Amino acid sequence: DSPVTLKILQNWVPRVSHYFDKEHYTYVGHQIVIQESIEHFGAVVWPGALALSQYLESNQEQFNLKDKKVLEIGAGTGLVSIVACILGAYVTATDLPEVLENLSYNISRNTQNMNMHKPEVRKLVWGEGLNEDFPVSTYHYDFILATDVVYHHAALDPLLATMVYFCKPGTVLLWANKFRFSTDYEFLEKLCNIFNTTILAEFPESNVKLLKA
C-alpha cells in the first residue's frame, strides 16, 4: 500500500482558545484540555502527538484500541494516552520522573468520570531497569505508541533498545515524528533494519511522518 497523505487536519487547530498554559483539543467527540509546562521538553504538545491522535481517531477500524493494552513511551503531556483511553484501551503512560506530575494531572483531569479503563502513569527511563520495572513474564502490550521521541538528544540508542524490549511478537509500534535532523533519519534507518516498517501517513505541513513497525 502506498502511504496516505493527509492534507487538511482540522484537529491540528485548538478548537476553543489558548489560555496561559492550557490548550483545548477535540478528539473522538471529547474536549481535551492540556496543561503544558515550559520547563520541560516533554511537557509541551508537539506535532507528532497531534498527528497520531488524529490518525487514531480517523482509523479506528484499522487500529481498534478497545480493550487493548497500550504503552506510550515519552508520553509528555499525555494527549495521545488520553485519546487512546477514550478509544477504550488499557493505557500505561510513561515518561521521565520530572514530567510525571504534569502528565498525571492531564490524564487524571481528562479521564475522570468517564466510563473507560483507568489509565496508569509510570516512570520509564529509556534503556534503564526495563526488566526490573516491566518484566517480560508479566508485561505484554498490544500497541506501543511514541510521538516526537526522536530529536537532537543523546538517548537514541537507549530509545531504540526500549522499543525493541517492549515489541514482542504481535506488538504494533506506532511512531509519529517531526523529521528535523539527519539523526532522525539515521534512527529511522536503524528502526527499519530491526522491524518490518511501513509509512502509514505523511503530514507535509509539519514534516511529520507516521510509521508502523
Side-chain angles (χ1 to χ4, degrees), residues 52 55-66 68 70 84 87 89 142-143 145 172-174 198 200-201 210-213:
L52 183 52
Y55 194 86
L56 290 174
E57 177 186 48
S58 303
N59 294 272
Q60 295 179 47
E61 290 187 7
Q62 183 180 4
F63 297 106
N64 180 8
L65 299 188
K66 185 170 175 53
K68 298 296 195 299
V70 171
L87 290 170
D142 301 298
F143 290 91
L145 307 180
V172 174
L173 168 65
L174 296 177
T198 307
L200 292 177
L210 172 57
L211 299 107
K212 170 192 169 188

Side-chain angles (χ1 to χ4, degrees), residues 52 56 63 65 68-74 80-81 84 90 92 94 124 126 134 139-147 149 159-160 162-168 170-176 195 210-213:
L52 183 52
L56 290 174
F63 297 106
L65 299 188
K68 298 296 195 299
K69 293 183 178 178
V70 171
L71 175 73
E72 185 179 8
I73 57 176
V80 173
S81 284
Y90 292 93
T92 301
T94 66
L124 175 61
W126 298 336
F134 298 87
Y139 293 92
H140 179 277
Y141 296 98
D142 301 298
F143 290 91
I144 308 298
L145 307 180
T147 63
V149 290
L159 170 61
L160 186 60
T162 300
M163 289 176 167
V164 170
Y165 178 82
F166 283 113
C167 284
K168 305 305 176 191
T171 303
V172 174
L173 168 65
L174 296 177
W175 167 45
F195 294 101
L210 172 57
L211 299 107
K212 170 192 169 188

Side-chain angles (χ1 to χ4, degrees), residues 10-12 15 25-30 32 50-61 63 65 83-84 86-87:
Q10 297 295 342
N11 284 342
W12 284 56
R15 295 298 181 90
Y25 303 91
T26 302
Y27 290 104
V28 204
H30 291 264
I32 300 169
L50 301 176
L52 183 52
S53 295
Q54 193 265 346
Y55 194 86
L56 290 174
E57 177 186 48
S58 303
N59 294 272
Q60 295 179 47
E61 290 187 7
F63 297 106
L65 299 188
V83 171
I86 294 170
L87 290 170

Side-chain angles (χ1 to χ4, degrees), residues 17-51:
S17 63
H18 287 265
Y19 291 104
F20 294 107
D21 58 350
K22 296 182 178 70
E23 294 191 53
H24 292 221
Y25 303 91
T26 302
Y27 290 104
V28 204
H30 291 264
Q31 186 182 92
I32 300 169
V33 184
I34 294 295
Q35 175 173 282
E36 297 185 331
S37 168
I38 60 172
E39 296 176 11
H40 304 293
F41 280 126
V44 176
V45 176
W46 295 104
L50 301 176

Side-chain angles (χ1 to χ4, degrees), residues 5 17 51 58-59 79 83 101 109 113-114 131 144 153 167-168 178 186 191 194 198 205:
T5 301
S17 63
S58 303
N59 294 272
L79 177 62
V83 171
E101 183 178 359
R109 71 173 298 172
N113 303 322
M114 287 188 182
N131 200 42
I144 308 298
H153 60 72
C167 284
K168 305 305 176 191
K178 180 170 182 172
E186 290 166 10
L191 190 80
I194 298 172
T198 307
E205 300 87 348

